[in-house]
Amino acid sequence: MSTHHVHEGHDHAHGENCGHVAVPHGDHTDYVHDGHVHRNHDGHTDECDGGAHTAHEAHDHVHGENCGHVAVPHGDHTDYVHDGHRHARHGDHWDEH
């Protein structure tokens, strides 16, 4: 995570069986909620923005409707959950999110 953005007014506790898509992300788990990606952090919830631009190398699969992966609205684009990562289209390649 590149910056620390606290998600204010977030009273829902994310965790196992909370009803939101859980995605492993480095050393923590992200939870997809209301078009945002959240993570638990020191007793509060942060927005997890994915950090720096990191291309997912050798990603031959094209994500889209009916591709078989969970589609997650995320701001102005859609992420796809694939092999324990969130991928987002960026130009002619896919980024790790």
Side-chain angles (χ1 to χ4, degrees):
M1 201 165 92
S2 61
T3 56
H4 184 97
H5 298 284
V6 175
H7 183 83
E8 300 293 342
H10 188 77
D11 56 2
H12 175 75
H14 291 293
E16 191 172 331
N17 299 318
C18 74
H20 297 109
V21 174
V23 182
H25 188 204
D27 64 352
H28 62 274
T29 300
D30 291 336
Y31 293 91
V32 181
H33 185 198
D34 294 337
H36 300 270
V37 180
H38 299 159
R39 68 176 286 200
N40 296 326
H41 181 248
D42 291 340
H44 62 272
T45 302
D46 287 347
E47 296 284 347
C48 194
D49 64 9
H53 176 204
T54 305
H56 182 84
E57 302 298 332
H59 186 72
D60 298 329
H61 177 75
V62 176
H63 293 291
E65 190 174 333
N66 299 319
C67 75
H69 297 108
V70 175
V72 178
H74 186 207
D76 63 354
H77 63 276
T78 300
D79 292 345
Y80 293 89
V81 179
H82 184 205
D83 294 336
H85 302 273
R86 286 185 297 125
H87 297 163
R89 179 174 289 287
H90 183 239
D92 62 352
H93 64 275
W94 294 91
D95 285 350
E96 293 285 348
H97 250 211

Coordinates of all heavy atoms in Angstrom, one line a residue:
M1 N 0.8 -1.2 0.0 CA 0.0 0.0 0.0 C 0.9 1.2 0.0 O 1.8 1.4 0.8 CB -0.9 0.0 1.2 CG -2.1 0.8 1.1 SD -3.3 0.4 2.3 CE -2.9 1.6 3.6
S2 N 0.6 2.1 -0.9 CA 1.5 3.3 -1.0 C 1.3 4.4 0.0 O 2.2 5.0 0.4 CB 1.4 3.8 -2.5 OG 0.1 4.3 -2.7
T3 N 0.0 4.6 0.4 CA -0.3 5.6 1.3 C -1.3 5.1 2.3 O -2.0 4.1 2.1 CB -0.8 6.9 0.7 OG1 -2.0 6.5 -0.1 CG2 0.2 7.6 -0.2
H4 N -1.5 5.8 3.4 CA -2.4 5.3 4.5 C -3.7 6.2 4.4 O -3.7 7.3 4.8 CB -1.7 5.5 5.8 CG -2.5 5.0 7.0 ND1 -2.3 3.8 7.5 CD2 -3.5 5.6 7.7 CE1 -3.1 3.6 8.5 NE2 -3.9 4.7 8.6
H5 N -4.7 5.6 3.8 CA -6.0 6.3 3.7 C -7.0 5.6 4.6 O -7.5 4.5 4.2 CB -6.5 6.3 2.3 CG -5.6 7.0 1.3 ND1 -5.5 8.3 1.2 CD2 -4.7 6.5 0.4 CE1 -4.7 8.6 0.2 NE2 -4.2 7.5 -0.3
V6 N -7.3 6.2 5.7 CA -8.4 5.6 6.6 C -9.7 5.8 6.0 O -10.1 6.9 5.5 CB -8.3 6.3 8.0 CG1 -9.5 5.8 8.9 CG2 -7.0 6.1 8.7
H7 N -10.5 4.8 6.0 CA -11.9 4.8 5.5 C -12.8 5.3 6.6 O -13.1 4.5 7.5 CB -12.3 3.5 4.9 CG -13.7 3.5 4.3 ND1 -13.9 3.9 3.1 CD2 -14.9 3.2 4.9 CE1 -15.2 3.8 2.8 NE2 -15.8 3.4 3.9
E8 N -13.1 6.5 6.7 CA -13.9 7.1 7.8 C -15.3 6.5 7.8 O -15.9 6.3 6.8 CB -13.9 8.6 7.7 CG -12.5 9.3 7.8 CD -11.8 9.1 9.1 OE1 -12.5 8.8 10.1 OE2 -10.6 9.3 9.1
G9 N -15.9 6.4 9.0 CA -17.3 6.0 9.1 C -17.6 4.6 8.7 O -18.7 4.2 8.4
H10 N -16.5 3.7 8.7 CA -16.7 2.3 8.3 C -16.9 1.5 9.6 O -16.0 1.1 10.3 CB -15.5 1.9 7.6 CG -15.6 0.5 6.9 ND1 -16.4 0.3 5.8 CD2 -15.2 -0.7 7.3 CE1 -16.4 -0.9 5.5 NE2 -15.7 -1.6 6.4
D11 N -18.2 1.2 9.9 CA -18.5 0.5 11.1 C -18.7 -1.0 10.9 O -18.9 -1.8 11.8 CB -19.8 1.0 11.8 CG -21.0 1.0 10.9 OD1 -20.9 0.6 9.7 OD2 -22.0 1.5 11.3
H12 N -18.6 -1.5 9.7 CA -18.7 -2.9 9.4 C -17.3 -3.6 9.7 O -16.3 -3.1 9.3 CB -19.0 -3.1 7.9 CG -19.0 -4.6 7.5 ND1 -20.0 -5.4 7.8 CD2 -18.1 -5.3 6.7 CE1 -19.8 -6.6 7.3 NE2 -18.6 -6.6 6.6
A13 N -17.3 -4.7 10.4 CA -16.1 -5.5 10.7 C -15.9 -6.5 9.6 O -16.7 -7.5 9.5 CB -16.2 -6.1 12.0
H14 N -14.9 -6.4 8.8 CA -14.6 -7.4 7.8 C -13.8 -8.6 8.4 O -13.1 -8.4 9.4 CB -13.7 -6.8 6.7 CG -14.4 -5.8 5.8 ND1 -15.4 -6.1 5.0 CD2 -14.2 -4.5 5.7 CE1 -15.8 -5.1 4.4 NE2 -15.1 -4.0 4.8
G15 N -14.1 -9.7 7.9 CA -13.5 -11.0 8.4 C -14.1 -12.2 7.7 O -15.0 -12.0 6.9
E16 N -13.7 -13.3 8.2 CA -14.3 -14.6 7.6 C -15.8 -14.6 7.7 O -16.4 -14.2 8.8 CB -13.7 -15.8 8.4 CG -14.0 -17.1 7.8 CD -13.3 -18.2 8.4 OE1 -12.2 -18.0 9.0 OE2 -13.8 -19.3 8.4
N17 N -16.5 -14.8 6.7 CA -17.9 -14.9 6.6 C -18.6 -13.6 6.8 O -19.8 -13.5 7.2 CB -18.5 -15.9 7.6 CG -18.0 -17.3 7.4 OD1 -17.9 -17.8 6.2 ND2 -17.6 -18.0 8.4
C18 N -18.0 -12.5 6.4 CA -18.6 -11.1 6.6 C -19.5 -10.8 5.4 O -20.2 -9.9 5.4 CB -17.6 -10.0 6.8 SG -16.6 -9.6 5.3
G19 N -19.4 -11.7 4.3 CA -20.3 -11.5 3.2 C -19.6 -10.7 2.0 O -20.3 -10.5 1.0
H20 N -18.4 -10.3 2.2 CA -17.7 -9.6 1.1 C -16.6 -10.4 0.5 O -16.0 -11.3 1.2 CB -17.2 -8.2 1.6 CG -18.2 -7.3 2.1 ND1 -18.4 -7.0 3.4 CD2 -19.2 -6.7 1.4 CE1 -19.5 -6.2 3.5 NE2 -20.0 -6.0 2.3
V21 N -16.3 -10.2 -0.7 CA -15.2 -10.9 -1.4 C -13.9 -10.6 -0.7 O -13.5 -9.5 -0.4 CB -15.1 -10.5 -2.9 CG1 -13.9 -11.2 -3.5 CG2 -16.3 -10.9 -3.6
A22 N -13.2 -11.7 -0.3 CA -11.9 -11.5 0.4 C -10.8 -11.9 -0.6 O -10.9 -13.0 -1.3 CB -11.8 -12.5 1.6
V23 N -9.8 -11.1 -0.7 CA -8.7 -11.3 -1.7 C -7.3 -11.2 -1.0 O -7.0 -10.1 -0.4 CB -8.7 -10.3 -2.8 CG1 -7.6 -10.5 -3.8 CG2 -10.1 -10.2 -3.5
P24 N -6.5 -12.2 -1.0 CA -5.2 -12.1 -0.4 C -4.4 -11.0 -1.1 O -4.5 -10.9 -2.3 CB -4.5 -13.5 -0.6 CG -5.7 -14.4 -1.0 CD -6.7 -13.5 -1.6
H25 N -3.7 -10.2 -0.4 CA -2.9 -9.1 -1.0 C -1.7 -8.9 -0.2 O -1.7 -8.2 0.9 CB -3.8 -7.8 -1.0 CG -3.2 -6.7 -1.8 ND1 -3.5 -5.4 -1.6 CD2 -2.3 -6.7 -2.8 CE1 -2.8 -4.6 -2.4 NE2 -2.0 -5.4 -3.1
G26 N -0.6 -9.5 -0.6 CA 0.7 -9.3 0.2 C 0.6 -9.9 1.6 O 0.2 -11.1 1.7
D27 N 0.8 -9.0 2.6 CA 0.8 -9.5 4.0 C -0.6 -9.3 4.7 O -0.7 -9.4 5.9 CB 1.8 -8.7 4.7 CG 1.6 -7.2 4.8 OD1 0.6 -6.7 4.1 OD2 2.3 -6.6 5.6
H28 N -1.7 -9.0 3.9 CA -3.0 -8.8 4.5 C -4.1 -9.4 3.5 O -3.8 -9.9 2.5 CB -3.2 -7.4 4.8 CG -3.2 -6.5 3.6 ND1 -2.0 -6.0 3.0 CD2 -4.2 -6.1 2.8 CE1 -2.3 -5.3 2.0 NE2 -3.6 -5.3 1.8
T29 N -5.3 -9.2 3.9 CA -6.4 -9.6 3.1 C -7.3 -8.3 2.8 O -7.5 -7.6 3.7 CB -7.3 -10.6 3.8 OG1 -6.5 -11.8 4.1 CG2 -8.5 -11.0 3.0
D30 N -7.6 -8.1 1.6 CA -8.5 -7.0 1.2 C -9.9 -7.6 1.1 O -10.2 -8.7 0.9 CB -8.1 -6.6 -0.2 CG -6.8 -5.8 -0.3 OD1 -6.3 -5.3 0.7 OD2 -6.3 -5.8 -1.4
Y31 N -10.8 -6.6 1.4 CA -12.3 -7.0 1.3 C -12.9 -6.0 0.4 O -12.7 -4.8 0.5 CB -12.9 -6.9 2.7 CG -12.4 -8.0 3.6 CD1 -11.3 -7.7 4.5 CD2 -13.0 -9.2 3.6 CE1 -10.8 -8.7 5.3 CE2 -12.5 -10.2 4.5 CZ -11.4 -10.0 5.3 OH -10.9 -11.0 6.0
V32 N -13.7 -6.5 -0.5 CA -14.4 -5.7 -1.5 C -15.7 -5.3 -1.0 O -16.5 -6.1 -0.6 CB -14.5 -6.4 -2.8 CG1 -15.2 -5.6 -3.9 CG2 -13.2 -6.9 -3.3
H33 N -16.0 -3.9 -0.9 CA -17.2 -3.4 -0.2 C -17.6 -2.1 -0.9 O -16.8 -1.2 -0.9 CB -16.9 -3.3 1.2 CG -18.0 -2.9 2.1 ND1 -17.8 -2.3 3.3 CD2 -19.3 -2.9 1.9 CE1 -19.0 -2.1 3.9 NE2 -19.9 -2.4 3.0
D34 N -18.8 -2.0 -1.5 CA -19.3 -0.8 -2.0 C -18.4 -0.1 -3.0 O -18.2 1.1 -3.0 CB -19.6 0.2 -0.9 CG -20.8 -0.3 0.0 OD1 -21.6 -1.2 -0.4 OD2 -20.8 0.2 1.2
G35 N -17.8 -0.9 -3.9 CA -16.9 -0.4 -4.9 C -15.5 0.1 -4.4 O -14.8 0.7 -5.1
H36 N -15.2 -0.3 -3.2 CA -13.9 0.0 -2.6 C -13.2 -1.2 -2.2 O -13.9 -2.3 -2.0 CB -14.1 0.9 -1.3 CG -14.7 2.2 -1.6 ND1 -14.1 3.3 -1.9 CD2 -16.1 2.5 -1.5 CE1 -14.9 4.3 -2.0 NE2 -16.1 3.9 -1.8
V37 N -11.9 -1.2 -2.0 CA -11.2 -2.3 -1.5 C -10.6 -1.9 -0.1 O -9.9 -0.9 0.0 CB -10.1 -2.7 -2.4 CG1 -9.3 -3.9 -1.9 CG2 -10.7 -3.0 -3.8
H38 N -11.0 -2.6 0.9 CA -10.7 -2.2 2.3 C -9.8 -3.3 2.9 O -9.8 -4.4 2.5 CB -11.9 -2.2 3.2 CG -12.9 -1.2 2.7 ND1 -14.2 -1.3 3.1 CD2 -12.8 -0.1 2.0 CE1 -14.9 -0.2 2.6 NE2 -14.0 0.5 1.9
R39 N -9.0 -2.9 3.9 CA -8.2 -3.8 4.7 C -8.3 -3.4 6.2 O -8.4 -2.2 6.5 CB -6.7 -3.8 4.2 CG -6.0 -2.5 4.5 CD -4.6 -2.5 4.2 NE -3.9 -3.3 5.1 CZ -2.5 -3.2 5.3 NH1 -1.8 -2.3 4.6 NH2 -1.9 -3.9 6.2
N40 N -8.2 -4.3 7.0 CA -8.2 -4.1 8.5 C -6.8 -3.6 8.8 O -5.8 -4.2 8.4 CB -8.6 -5.3 9.3 CG -10.0 -5.8 9.0 OD1 -10.9 -4.9 8.7 ND2 -10.2 -7.1 9.0
H41 N -6.7 -2.6 9.7 CA -5.4 -2.1 10.0 C -5.4 -1.4 11.4 O -6.1 -0.4 11.5 CB -4.9 -1.1 9.0 CG -3.6 -0.5 9.2 ND1 -3.4 0.8 9.5 CD2 -2.3 -1.0 9.2 CE1 -2.1 1.1 9.7 NE2 -1.4 0.0 9.6
D42 N -4.7 -1.9 12.4 CA -4.6 -1.3 13.7 C -5.9 -0.8 14.3 O -6.0 0.3 14.7 CB -3.6 -0.2 13.7 CG -2.2 -0.7 13.4 OD1 -1.9 -1.9 13.7 OD2 -1.3 0.1 13.0
G43 N -7.0 -1.6 14.2 CA -8.2 -1.3 14.8 C -9.1 -0.4 14.0 O -10.2 0.1 14.5
H44 N -8.8 -0.1 12.8 CA -9.6 0.7 11.9 C -9.6 0.1 10.5 O -8.9 -0.9 10.3 CB -9.3 2.2 11.9 CG -7.9 2.4 11.4 ND1 -6.8 2.4 12.2 CD2 -7.4 2.7 10.1 CE1 -5.7 2.7 11.5 NE2 -6.0 2.8 10.2
T45 N -10.3 0.7 9.5 CA -10.3 0.1 8.2 C -9.7 1.2 7.2 O -10.0 2.3 7.3 CB -11.8 -0.1 7.7 OG1 -12.3 -1.1 8.6 CG2 -11.8 -0.7 6.3
D46 N -8.8 0.7 6.4 CA -8.1 1.5 5.4 C -8.6 1.2 4.0 O -9.0 0.1 3.7 CB -6.6 1.3 5.4 CG -5.9 1.9 6.6 OD1 -6.5 2.7 7.3 OD2 -4.7 1.5 6.8
E47 N -8.6 2.2 3.1 CA -8.7 2.0 1.7 C -7.4 1.3 1.3 O -6.3 1.8 1.6 CB -8.9 3.3 0.9 CG -10.1 4.0 1.3 CD -11.4 3.4 0.7 OE1 -11.3 2.6 -0.2 OE2 -12.5 3.9 1.1
C48 N -7.5 0.3 0.4 CA -6.3 -0.3 -0.1 C -6.2 0.0 -1.6 O -7.0 -0.5 -2.4 CB -6.3 -1.8 0.2 SG -4.7 -2.6 -0.1
D49 N -5.3 0.9 -1.9 CA -5.3 1.5 -3.3 C -4.4 0.7 -4.2 O -4.3 1.0 -5.4 CB -4.9 2.9 -3.3 CG -3.5 3.2 -2.7 OD1 -2.7 2.2 -2.5 OD2 -3.2 4.4 -2.5
G50 N -3.7 -0.3 -3.8 CA -2.9 -1.1 -4.7 C -1.5 -0.6 -4.8 O -0.6 -1.3 -5.4
G51 N -1.1 0.6 -4.4 CA 0.2 1.1 -4.5 C 0.7 1.4 -5.9 O -0.1 1.9 -6.7
A52 N 1.9 1.3 -6.1 CA 2.6 1.7 -7.4 C 2.1 0.9 -8.6 O 1.5 -0.2 -8.4 CB 4.1 1.6 -7.2
H53 N 2.3 1.4 -9.7 CA 1.9 0.7 -11.0 C 2.9 -0.5 -11.2 O 4.1 -0.4 -11.4 CB 2.1 1.7 -12.1 CG 1.8 1.1 -13.5 ND1 2.4 1.6 -14.6 CD2 1.1 0.0 -13.9 CE1 2.0 0.9 -15.7 NE2 1.2 -0.1 -15.2
T54 N 2.3 -1.7 -11.1 CA 3.0 -2.9 -11.3 C 2.3 -3.8 -12.3 O 1.2 -4.3 -12.1 CB 3.1 -3.7 -10.0 OG1 3.7 -2.8 -9.0 CG2 4.0 -4.9 -10.1
A55 N 2.9 -3.9 -13.5 CA 2.4 -4.7 -14.6 C 2.5 -6.2 -14.2 O 3.4 -6.7 -13.6 CB 3.1 -4.5 -15.9
H56 N 1.4 -7.0 -14.5 CA 1.4 -8.4 -14.2 C 2.0 -9.0 -15.5 O 1.4 -9.1 -16.5 CB 0.0 -8.9 -14.0 CG -0.1 -10.4 -13.7 ND1 0.2 -10.9 -12.5 CD2 -0.3 -11.4 -14.5 CE1 0.1 -12.2 -12.5 NE2 -0.2 -12.6 -13.7
E57 N 3.2 -9.5 -15.4 CA 3.9 -10.0 -16.6 C 3.4 -11.4 -17.0 O 2.9 -12.1 -16.1 CB 5.4 -10.2 -16.2 CG 6.1 -8.9 -15.8 CD 6.1 -7.8 -16.9 OE1 6.1 -8.2 -18.1 OE2 6.1 -6.6 -16.6
A58 N 3.4 -11.6 -18.3 CA 3.0 -12.9 -18.8 C 1.5 -13.3 -18.5 O 1.2 -14.4 -18.1 CB 3.9 -14.0 -18.4
H59 N 0.7 -12.3 -18.5 CA -0.7 -12.6 -18.2 C -1.5 -12.7 -19.5 O -1.8 -11.7 -20.2 CB -1.3 -11.4 -17.4 CG -2.7 -11.7 -16.9 ND1 -3.0 -12.6 -16.0 CD2 -3.9 -11.2 -17.3 CE1 -4.3 -12.6 -15.8 NE2 -4.9 -11.8 -16.6
D60 N -1.6 -13.9 -20.0 CA -2.2 -14.2 -21.3 C -3.7 -14.2 -21.3 O -4.4 -14.1 -22.3 CB -1.7 -15.5 -21.8 CG -0.2 -15.5 -22.0 OD1 0.3 -14.4 -22.3 OD2 0.4 -16.6 -21.9
H61 N -4.3 -14.4 -20.1 CA -5.8 -14.5 -20.0 C -6.4 -13.1 -20.2 O -5.9 -12.2 -19.6 CB -6.2 -15.1 -18.7 CG -7.6 -15.2 -18.4 ND1 -8.4 -16.1 -19.0 CD2 -8.4 -14.4 -17.7 CE1 -9.7 -15.9 -18.6 NE2 -9.7 -14.9 -17.8
V62 N -7.5 -13.0 -20.9 CA -8.2 -11.8 -21.1 C -9.4 -11.8 -20.2 O -10.3 -12.7 -20.4 CB -8.6 -11.5 -22.6 CG1 -9.4 -10.2 -22.7 CG2 -7.4 -11.4 -23.4
H63 N -9.5 -10.9 -19.3 CA -10.7 -10.8 -18.4 C -11.8 -10.1 -19.0 O -11.6 -9.2 -19.8 CB -10.3 -10.1 -17.0 CG -9.3 -10.9 -16.2 ND1 -9.6 -12.1 -15.6 CD2 -8.0 -10.7 -15.9 CE1 -8.6 -12.5 -15.0 NE2 -7.6 -11.7 -15.2
G64 N -13.0 -10.4 -18.6 CA -14.2 -9.8 -19.1 C -15.4 -10.6 -18.7 O -15.3 -11.5 -18.0
E65 N -16.6 -10.1 -19.2 CA -17.8 -10.8 -18.9 C -17.7 -12.3 -19.2 O -17.2 -12.7 -20.2 CB -19.0 -10.2 -19.7 CG -20.3 -10.7 -19.3 CD -21.4 -9.9 -20.0 OE1 -21.2 -8.8 -20.4 OE2 -22.5 -10.5 -20.1
N66 N -18.1 -13.1 -18.2 CA -18.1 -14.6 -18.4 C -16.7 -15.2 -18.5 O -16.5 -16.3 -19.0 CB -18.9 -15.1 -19.5 CG -20.4 -14.6 -19.4 OD1 -20.9 -14.7 -18.3 ND2 -21.0 -14.2 -20.4
C67 N -15.6 -14.5 -18.0 CA -14.3 -15.1 -18.1 C -14.0 -16.1 -17.0 O -13.0 -16.8 -17.0 CB -13.2 -14.0 -18.0 SG -13.0 -13.3 -16.3
G68 N -15.0 -16.2 -16.0 CA -14.8 -17.2 -15.0 C -14.2 -16.7 -13.7 O -14.0 -17.4 -12.7
H69 N -13.8 -15.4 -13.6 CA -13.2 -14.8 -12.4 C -14.1 -13.8 -11.8 O -14.9 -13.2 -12.5 CB -11.8 -14.2 -12.8 CG -10.9 -15.2 -13.3 ND1 -10.5 -15.3 -14.6 CD2 -10.2 -16.2 -12.6 CE1 -9.6 -16.3 -14.7 NE2 -9.5 -16.9 -13.6
V70 N -14.0 -13.6 -10.5 CA -14.8 -12.6 -9.8 C -14.5 -11.2 -10.3 O -13.3 -10.8 -10.3 CB -14.6 -12.7 -8.3 CG1 -15.4 -11.7 -7.6 CG2 -15.1 -14.1 -7.8
A71 N -15.5 -10.5 -10.8 CA -15.3 -9.1 -11.2 C -15.7 -8.2 -10.0 O -16.7 -8.4 -9.4 CB -16.3 -8.8 -12.4
V72 N -14.8 -7.2 -9.7 CA -14.9 -6.4 -8.6 C -14.9 -4.9 -9.0 O -13.9 -4.4 -9.5 CB -13.8 -6.6 -7.6 CG1 -13.9 -5.7 -6.4 CG2 -13.7 -8.1 -7.1
P73 N -16.0 -4.2 -8.9 CA -16.0 -2.8 -9.2 C -15.0 -2.1 -8.3 O -15.0 -2.3 -7.1 CB -17.4 -2.3 -9.0 CG -18.3 -3.5 -9.0 CD -17.4 -4.6 -8.5
H74 N -14.1 -1.2 -8.9 CA -13.1 -0.6 -8.0 C -12.9 0.8 -8.6 O -12.1 1.0 -9.6 CB -11.8 -1.4 -8.0 CG -10.8 -0.9 -7.1 ND1 -9.4 -1.1 -7.3 CD2 -10.9 -0.1 -6.0 CE1 -8.8 -0.5 -6.4 NE2 -9.6 0.1 -5.6
G75 N -13.6 1.8 -8.1 CA -13.4 3.2 -8.6 C -13.9 3.3 -10.0 O -15.1 2.9 -10.3
D76 N -13.1 3.7 -10.9 CA -13.5 3.9 -12.3 C -13.2 2.7 -13.2 O -13.3 2.8 -14.4 CB -12.8 5.2 -12.9 CG -11.3 5.0 -12.9 OD1 -10.8 4.0 -12.4 OD2 -10.7 5.9 -13.5
H77 N -12.9 1.5 -12.7 CA -12.6 0.4 -13.5 C -13.1 -0.9 -12.7 O -13.7 -0.8 -11.7 CB -11.1 0.3 -13.8 CG -10.3 0.2 -12.5 ND1 -9.9 1.2 -11.7 CD2 -9.8 -0.9 -11.9 CE1 -9.2 0.8 -10.7 NE2 -9.1 -0.5 -10.8
T78 N -12.8 -2.0 -13.3 CA -13.1 -3.3 -12.7 C -11.9 -4.1 -12.5 O -11.0 -4.2 -13.4 CB -14.1 -4.1 -13.7 OG1 -15.3 -3.3 -13.9 CG2 -14.5 -5.5 -13.1
D79 N -11.7 -4.6 -11.3 CA -10.6 -5.6 -11.0 C -11.2 -7.0 -11.2 O -12.4 -7.2 -11.0 CB -10.2 -5.4 -9.6 CG -9.5 -4.1 -9.3 OD1 -9.1 -3.4 -10.2 OD2 -9.3 -3.8 -8.1
Y80 N -10.3 -7.9 -11.5 CA -10.7 -9.3 -11.6 C -9.8 -10.1 -10.6 O -8.6 -9.9 -10.6 CB -10.5 -9.8 -13.0 CG -11.5 -9.2 -13.9 CD1 -11.2 -8.0 -14.6 CD2 -12.8 -9.8 -14.1 CE1 -12.1 -7.4 -15.4 CE2 -13.7 -9.2 -15.0 CZ -13.4 -8.0 -15.6 OH -14.3 -7.4 -16.4
V81 N -10.4 -11.0 -9.8 CA -9.7 -11.8 -8.9 C -9.2 -13.0 -9.6 O -10.0 -13.8 -10.2 CB -10.6 -12.2 -7.7 CG1 -9.8 -13.1 -6.7 CG2 -11.1 -10.9 -7.0
H82 N -7.9 -13.3 -9.6 CA -7.3 -14.3 -10.4 C -6.1 -14.8 -9.7 O -5.1 -14.0 -9.5 CB -7.0 -13.8 -11.8 CG -6.5 -14.8 -12.8 ND1 -5.7 -14.4 -13.8 CD2 -6.6 -16.1 -12.8 CE1 -5.4 -15.5 -14.5 NE2 -5.9 -16.5 -14.0
D83 N -6.0 -16.1 -9.3 CA -4.9 -16.7 -8.7 C -4.4 -15.9 -7.5 O -3.2 -15.7 -7.3 CB -3.7 -16.8 -9.7 CG -4.0 -17.8 -10.9 OD1 -4.9 -18.6 -10.7 OD2 -3.4 -17.6 -11.9
G84 N -5.3 -15.5 -6.6 CA -5.0 -14.8 -5.4 C -4.6 -13.4 -5.6 O -4.0 -12.8 -4.7
H85 N -4.8 -12.8 -6.7 CA -4.5 -11.4 -7.0 C -5.7 -10.7 -7.6 O -6.6 -11.3 -8.1 CB -3.3 -11.3 -8.1 CG -2.1 -12.0 -7.7 ND1 -1.1 -11.4 -7.0 CD2 -1.7 -13.3 -8.0 CE1 -0.1 -12.3 -6.8 NE2 -0.5 -13.4 -7.4
R86 N -5.6 -9.3 -7.5 CA -6.6 -8.5 -8.3 C -5.9 -7.9 -9.5 O -4.8 -7.3 -9.3 CB -7.1 -7.4 -7.4 CG -8.1 -7.8 -6.3 CD -8.7 -6.7 -5.6 NE -7.7 -5.9 -4.9 CZ -7.4 -4.6 -5.0 NH1 -8.2 -3.9 -5.8 NH2 -6.5 -4.0 -4.3
H87 N -6.5 -8.1 -10.6 CA -5.9 -7.6 -11.9 C -6.8 -6.5 -12.4 O -8.0 -6.6 -12.3 CB -5.7 -8.7 -12.9 CG -4.8 -9.8 -12.5 ND1 -4.8 -11.0 -13.1 CD2 -3.8 -9.8 -11.6 CE1 -3.8 -11.7 -12.6 NE2 -3.3 -11.1 -11.6
A88 N -6.2 -5.5 -13.0 CA -7.0 -4.4 -13.7 C -6.4 -4.1 -15.0 O -5.2 -4.1 -15.1 CB -7.0 -3.2 -12.8
R89 N -7.2 -3.9 -16.0 CA -6.7 -3.6 -17.4 C -6.1 -2.2 -17.3 O -6.7 -1.3 -16.7 CB -7.8 -3.6 -18.4 CG -7.3 -3.2 -19.8 CD -8.3 -3.4 -20.9 NE -8.6 -4.7 -21.2 CZ -7.8 -5.6 -21.9 NH1 -6.6 -5.2 -22.2 NH2 -8.2 -6.8 -22.2
H90 N -5.0 -2.1 -17.9 CA -4.3 -0.8 -18.0 C -3.6 -0.7 -19.4 O -2.6 -1.3 -19.6 CB -3.3 -0.6 -16.9 CG -2.6 0.7 -16.8 ND1 -1.2 0.8 -17.0 CD2 -3.1 1.9 -16.7 CE1 -0.9 2.1 -16.9 NE2 -2.0 2.8 -16.8
G91 N -4.3 0.0 -20.3 CA -3.8 0.1 -21.6 C -3.8 -1.3 -22.3 O -4.8 -1.9 -22.3
D92 N -2.6 -1.7 -22.7 CA -2.5 -3.0 -23.4 C -2.0 -4.2 -22.5 O -1.6 -5.2 -23.0 CB -1.6 -2.9 -24.6 CG -0.2 -2.6 -24.3 OD1 0.1 -2.2 -23.1 OD2 0.7 -2.6 -25.2
H93 N -2.1 -4.0 -21.2 CA -1.6 -5.0 -20.3 C -2.5 -5.0 -19.0 O -3.4 -4.2 -18.9 CB -0.2 -4.8 -19.9 CG 0.1 -3.5 -19.2 ND1 0.3 -2.3 -19.8 CD2 0.1 -3.2 -17.8 CE1 0.4 -1.3 -18.9 NE2 0.3 -1.9 -17.7
W94 N -2.2 -5.9 -18.1 CA -2.9 -6.1 -16.8 C -2.0 -5.7 -15.7 O -0.8 -6.0 -15.7 CB -3.4 -7.5 -16.7 CG -4.5 -7.8 -17.7 CD1 -4.2 -8.4 -18.9 CD2 -5.8 -7.6 -17.6 NE1 -5.4 -8.5 -19.6 CE2 -6.4 -8.1 -18.8 CE3 -6.7 -7.1 -16.6 CZ2 -7.8 -8.0 -19.1 CZ3 -8.0 -7.0 -16.9 CH2 -8.6 -7.4 -18.1
D95 N -2.5 -4.9 -14.7 CA -1.7 -4.5 -13.6 C -2.1 -5.3 -12.4 O -3.3 -5.8 -12.2 CB -2.0 -3.1 -13.2 CG -1.3 -2.1 -14.2 OD1 -0.5 -2.5 -15.0 OD2 -1.6 -0.9 -14.1
E96 N -1.2 -5.5 -11.5 CA -1.5 -6.1 -10.2 C -2.1 -4.9 -9.4 O -1.6 -3.8 -9.5 CB -0.2 -6.5 -9.5 CG 0.5 -7.7 -10.1 CD -0.2 -9.0 -9.8 OE1 -1.1 -9.1 -9.0 OE2 0.2 -10.0 -10.5
H97 N -3.1 -5.2 -8.6 CA -3.7 -4.2 -7.8 C -3.6 -4.5 -6.4 O -3.8 -5.4 -5.8 CB -5.2 -4.0 -8.2 CG -5.4 -2.8 -8.9 ND1 -6.6 -2.1 -8.9 CD2 -4.6 -2.0 -9.7 CE1 -6.5 -1.0 -9.6 NE2 -5.4 -1.0 -10.1

